[in-house]
């Protein structure tokens, strides 16, 4: 993602989340359908389970964001860690629905909303705190997705940023305007 100067918290939060979303999608694109369902051990989660959890969290938090508790009564969090969708298409549709809730909400928010109070599990949060919570929660799980995808692809893994051993080359290209930042 190219750095873009902004003084808008909402614009920056939107860009950061879109960057993490894209990173997860580039990682998932590298693994097979079977690998989406593979966990490292019996206590671990597969990429598909993590995606299901992120999507459920985002839908719950950002549906009626300003007017209802972010932990919706119909959400069954524990079920997010069981039986992921059977196909990549179903999984990615679920993923998109979650992110659409976030980005749709962001389109409606104004900077003046950042100090408003919302609740998550009956606990008060400023809108800014809730967004920060989403960024950190999503980033941690997207890191797990990337880790699992990289582990599963092993030597076939294609770097999502500057490949190992290529930092100097990348920096030279950036200094001469010959490259693009990720």
């Amino acid at each position: 993602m190219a750095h873009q100067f902004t003084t808008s918290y909402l614009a920056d939060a939107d860009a950061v989340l879109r960057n993490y979303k894209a990173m997860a999608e580039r990682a998932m694109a590298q693994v097979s359908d079977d690998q989406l369902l593979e966990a490292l051990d019996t206590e671990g989660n597969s990429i598909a389970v993590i995606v299901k959890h992120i999507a459920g969290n985002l839908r719950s938090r950002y549906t009626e964001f300003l007017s209802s508790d972010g932990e919706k009564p119909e959400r069954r969090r524990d079920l997010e860690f069981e039986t992921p969708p059977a196909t990549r298409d179903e999984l990615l549709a679920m993923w998109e629905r979650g992110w659409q809730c976030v980005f749709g909400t962001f389109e409606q928010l104004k900077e003046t909303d950042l100090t408003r109070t919302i609740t998550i599990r009956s606990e008060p949060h400023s809108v800014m705190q809730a967004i920060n919570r989403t960024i950190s929660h999503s980033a941690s799980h997207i890191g797990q997705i990337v880790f699992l995808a990289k582990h599963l692809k092993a030597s076939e893994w294609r770097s999502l940023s500057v490949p190992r051993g290529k930092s100097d080359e990348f920096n030279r290209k950036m200094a001469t305007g010959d490259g693009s930042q990720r």
Side-chain angles (χ1 to χ4, degrees), residues 21-76:
K21 178 182 183 283
M23 182 187 305
E25 290 167 354
R26 291 193 323 269
M28 288 188 283
Q30 293 191 49
V31 299
S32 70
D33 292 359
D34 288 339
Q35 288 173 321
L36 285 172
L37 302 169
E38 196 172 322
L40 295 181
D41 56 54
T42 57
E43 289 299 311
N45 295 313
S46 67
I47 291 171
V49 164
I50 297 167
V51 166
K52 184 179 176 184
H53 170 61
I54 292 171
N57 179 273
L58 296 176
R59 278 192 318 275
S60 185
R61 297 291 185 264
Y62 287 88
T63 298
E64 301 172 351
F65 180 70
L66 293 175
S67 61
S68 69
D69 193 281
E71 189 67 16
K72 304 296 182 280
E74 64 273 10
R75 181 180 184 205
R76 300 290 178 254

Side-chain angles (χ1 to χ4, degrees), residues 50-106:
I50 297 167
V51 166
K52 184 179 176 184
H53 170 61
I54 292 171
N57 179 273
L58 296 176
R59 278 192 318 275
S60 185
R61 297 291 185 264
Y62 287 88
T63 298
E64 301 172 351
F65 180 70
L66 293 175
S67 61
S68 69
D69 193 281
E71 189 67 16
K72 304 296 182 280
E74 64 273 10
R75 181 180 184 205
R76 300 290 178 254
R77 184 184 177 280
D78 289 341
L79 295 179
E80 293 168 8
F81 295 95
E82 300 174 11
T83 320
T87 69
R88 180 183 294 266
D89 288 344
E90 290 175 86
L91 184 69
L92 294 178
M94 177 183 284
W95 171 256
E96 283 301 323
R97 283 191 303 274
W99 287 104
Q100 285 171 3
C101 288
V102 176
F103 298 133
T105 296
F106 279 16

Side-chain angles (χ1 to χ4, degrees), residues 105-121:
T105 296
F106 279 16
E107 288 173 8
Q108 305 301 314
L109 291 174
K110 297 175 180 33
E111 297 288 331
T112 55
D113 290 324
L114 295 173
T115 58
R116 288 181 63 177
T117 301
I118 64 157
T119 57
I120 300 173
R121 295 189 182 119

